[in-house]
Amino acid sequence: TFPSDWFTPTEECTFATLKRASVLVPLFHRSSINSNVDSAHGNSELYMLLTQRCENLRSHGGEVCFPGGKQDPEDKNDDIVTA
C-alpha cells in the first residue's frame, strides 16, 4: 500500500473508472566514451531512454517521460502497441 499522502482519490477508484495506459522503460548498455574496450568485454554503462513531451500539449506539456501513454482505440487493447 502507498502512504495516504501519495494519492488521495476524489472519486471511487475502480477498474471501470481507470483508463488503460502503457509505457516502455527502455534500458540499454553503451560502451563508455572514455574506454577503448567495448561492452562485450564488460566495460559498459546502463542507460535509460526518456522522451520530452511537446510544449504545446494540453496536459503535461514539456515534461520528461517514458515513451508511451494513454491507450487509443486503434491500439486494440494491446499494451505493447500502446507503449
Side-chain angles (χ1 to χ4, degrees):
T1 62
F2 295 108
S4 61
D5 61 337
W6 284 14
F7 177 70
T8 307
T10 57
E11 63 181 66
E12 173 103 9
C13 192
T14 65
F15 283 112
T17 61
L18 297 175
K19 295 180 182 171
R20 290 185 64 97
S22 299
V23 296
L24 180 68
V25 183
L27 302 174
F28 59 98
H29 282 278
R30 183 172 159 187
S31 296
S32 176
I33 294 171
N34 298 324
S35 173
N36 293 328
V37 181
D38 63 14
S39 60
H41 295 96
N43 191 9
S44 66
E45 298 178 18
L46 186 62
Y47 288 82
M48 178 172 42
L49 180 70
L50 298 170
T51 62
Q52 183 174 11
R53 294 174 56 90
C54 294
E55 293 284 339
N56 62 349
L57 293 176
R58 285 182 294 151
S59 67
H60 310 290
E63 289 186 0
V64 174
C65 59
F66 292 114
K70 180 182 65 104
Q71 194 169 78
D72 295 320
E74 60 267 19
D75 295 339
K76 300 184 180 178
N77 291 326
D78 186 328
D79 294 329
I80 294 172
V81 172
T82 300

